[in-house]
Amino acid sequence: MPQLIVNADDLGFSPGTNQGILEAHQNGVVTSTTTMVNLDYAEAGLKRLQTDAPHIGIGLHINLTHGKPVSSPERVPSLVDEDGNFYPETRLLEAALNYDGDELYEEIAAQIERFVALTGKLPTHLDSHYHIAFLHPLALEATPPLTAATGRLPMPGQ
């Protein structure tokens, strides 16, 4: 029997985003969410969901566009600006032309590992902020091997 999944991405973006996702789930609209594990409010959001919404599916929202990477910025220099932050939307297209595939693999792997460290389990699925991990050829090349290595996590298009 087909099942409708309503996913709310950006968990961890702000306290308001976290609260909105929780309320939308508790009111029966949202059935899953994806988390931006590199952002300041991710840990609190995940803890709150695990306590107050134990049946919600929780996936990873691969983030290569906001905040600092999970990896040390020195290890992923092609992904970050001079301040060690991911490139903002205004510079993203230009910056993405210079992304290094190994660095993308490292950062996506680090985000999966951070998710597991925060939750104690694998994400239920993967998606990507602004779809960058599925639109950029090198990021798309890096992501499927990681999903296979971690148990064939569902991704868009699968």
Side-chain angles (χ1 to χ4, degrees), residues 71-72 75-76 101-111 142 146:
S71 303
S72 167
R75 294 192 52 84
V76 291
D102 291 336
E103 293 172 22
L104 285 164
Y105 185 93
E106 180 167 335
E107 178 57 22
I108 294 167
Q111 290 186 23
L146 286 165

Side-chain angles (χ1 to χ4, degrees), residues 12-81:
F13 190 79
S14 70
T17 302
N18 292 353
Q19 183 64 29
I21 291 169
L22 175 62
E23 289 177 15
H25 173 69
Q26 290 175 331
N27 291 319
V29 176
V30 168
T31 59
S32 73
T33 187
T34 46
T35 311
M36 300 165 86
V37 295
N38 68 310
L39 298 182
D40 292 340
Y41 303 102
E43 185 171 2
L46 286 166
K47 284 182 180 178
R48 181 97 188 269
L49 285 182
Q50 288 179 311
T51 300
D52 296 342
H55 300 293
I56 193 170
I58 305 174
L60 174 65
H61 198 48
I62 299 168
N63 179 17
L64 303 171
T65 60
H66 287 291
K68 294 195 177 298
V70 172
S71 303
S72 167
E74 294 79 24
R75 294 192 52 84
V76 291
S78 74
L79 308 183
V80 298
D81 65 16

Side-chain angles (χ1 to χ4, degrees), residues 123-143:
T124 57
H125 62 291
L126 301 177
D127 63 17
S128 176
H129 198 58
Y130 297 147
H131 308 288
I132 190 78
F134 305 121
L135 293 176
H136 192 285
L138 292 175
L140 184 58
E141 186 177 305
T143 305

Side-chain angles (χ1 to χ4, degrees), residues 2-3 15 22 35 81 87 92 139 158:
Q3 178 184 9
L22 175 62
T35 311
D81 65 16
Y87 288 97
L92 186 59
Q158 285 187 325

Side-chain angles (χ1 to χ4, degrees), residues 84-122:
N85 295 307
F86 288 126
Y87 288 97
E89 299 87 35
T90 56
R91 296 176 59 197
L92 186 59
L93 291 178
E94 175 189 345
L97 294 173
N98 298 310
Y99 280 174
D100 177 274
D102 291 336
E103 293 172 22
L104 285 164
Y105 185 93
E106 180 167 335
E107 178 57 22
I108 294 167
Q111 290 186 23
I112 293 170
E113 290 170 14
R114 172 94 171 127
F115 182 97
V116 172
L118 291 173
T119 65
K121 55 188 171 186
L122 288 170

